[in-house]
Amino acid sequence: MRHEDQRPPAAVLFDALGPVYEKAFAHAPAHLSALEWLIERLPPAARTLDVGSGTGRPTAAALIAAGHSVLGVDVSPVMVELAARQVPEAEFRCGDIRELPLETESFDGVCAFFSLLQMTRAEQSALTRRLALALRPGGHLVLATVPGDVEDLELVFMGRPVRATSFAEEDFAGMAEAAGLTVLSRHSAVFTPDHPEAEPEPHLFLHCRRDEPGR
């Protein structure tokens, strides 16, 4: 078995895509809008977590520009190297977020843009619970996915084979609520990545808050 076959599928995929992914997705209007929503609700000098931080742009770069600290976590070493070079003010770690210890109530804001899609439904639910616990009471979280009632679906993404798992919109929102989050709003959009082999994708953004005790 080749070494790359022993790595998480997401690491293999995004190592291969590298900066091509940024070019394809960095200017998605709904992504930028969700990021702006989060930034508007953060306290000054907030501590934030970017799950699946990719090349560091646009998410970590925007958070840093707004005066916040960022911990970015990505399973792809190629992406982490790019991000560290492009957003040197942030901290990036190469690792699997499912295995990374997260201190309770340690972040003011968390974002996970499309970084759950190569996990099982059970893993997505468990991670969302951990992310909610990592938020300080009153903190905000943005979750984004490609909604659909699919499990381990084989498809082609930007010319590369990938397997994806997701939830229908109501079930995805229910997962967030079950994790202890209040879904304040949802936003759906269709986006076509800037790539010759890309097709239009439905995107779902959940704007969430971890409520303070007694609220």
Side-chain angles (χ1 to χ4, degrees), residues 66-77:
H68 307 300
S69 66
V70 179
L71 170 60
V73 180
D74 202 288
V75 75
S76 162

Side-chain angles (χ1 to χ4, degrees), residues 26-96:
H27 304 292
H31 183 146
L32 297 175
S33 177
L35 184 54
E36 182 179 348
W37 179 92
L38 177 64
I39 289 172
E40 287 175 351
R41 285 157 180 80
L42 293 173
R47 186 168 186 244
T48 65
L49 173 65
D50 182 10
V51 179
S53 46
T55 67
R57 298 194 301 212
T59 305
L63 289 164
I64 289 291
H68 307 300
S69 66
V70 179
L71 170 60
V73 180
D74 202 288
V75 75
S76 162
V78 169
M79 289 295 199
V80 169
E81 181 181 351
L82 283 167
R85 186 165 66 245
Q86 296 190 142
V87 193
E89 304 90 343
E91 176 188 356
F92 295 99
R93 296 183 192 171
C94 183
D96 191 326

Side-chain angles (χ1 to χ4, degrees), residues 27-162:
H27 304 292
H31 183 146
L32 297 175
S33 177
L35 184 54
E36 182 179 348
W37 179 92
L38 177 64
I39 289 172
E40 287 175 351
R41 285 157 180 80
L42 293 173
R47 186 168 186 244
T48 65
L49 173 65
D50 182 10
V51 179
S53 46
T55 67
R57 298 194 301 212
T59 305
L63 289 164
I64 289 291
H68 307 300
S69 66
V70 179
L71 170 60
V73 180
D74 202 288
V75 75
S76 162
V78 169
M79 289 295 199
V80 169
E81 181 181 351
L82 283 167
R85 186 165 66 245
Q86 296 190 142
V87 193
E89 304 90 343
E91 176 188 356
F92 295 99
R93 296 183 192 171
C94 183
D96 191 326
I97 189 66
R98 292 170 292 188
E99 300 170 359
L100 182 73
L102 297 174
E103 186 177 345
T104 301
E105 298 183 5
S106 57
F107 294 98
D108 300 294
V110 175
C111 47
F113 289 108
F114 309 104
S115 49
L116 310 184
L117 287 161
Q118 289 186 279
M119 302 179 189
T120 67
R121 286 180 173 174
E123 288 171 335
Q124 292 185 42
S125 297
L127 177 59
T128 303
R129 286 194 295 271
R130 292 181 60 230
L131 296 178
L133 289 172
L135 269 178
R136 296 187 176 109
H140 292 82
L141 181 150
V142 176
L143 281 175
T145 193
V146 177
D149 186 10
V150 296
E151 290 189 74
D152 199 32
L153 177 67
E154 185 173 354
L155 49 85
V156 176
F157 175 70
M158 294 175 62
R160 297 187 175 274
V162 64

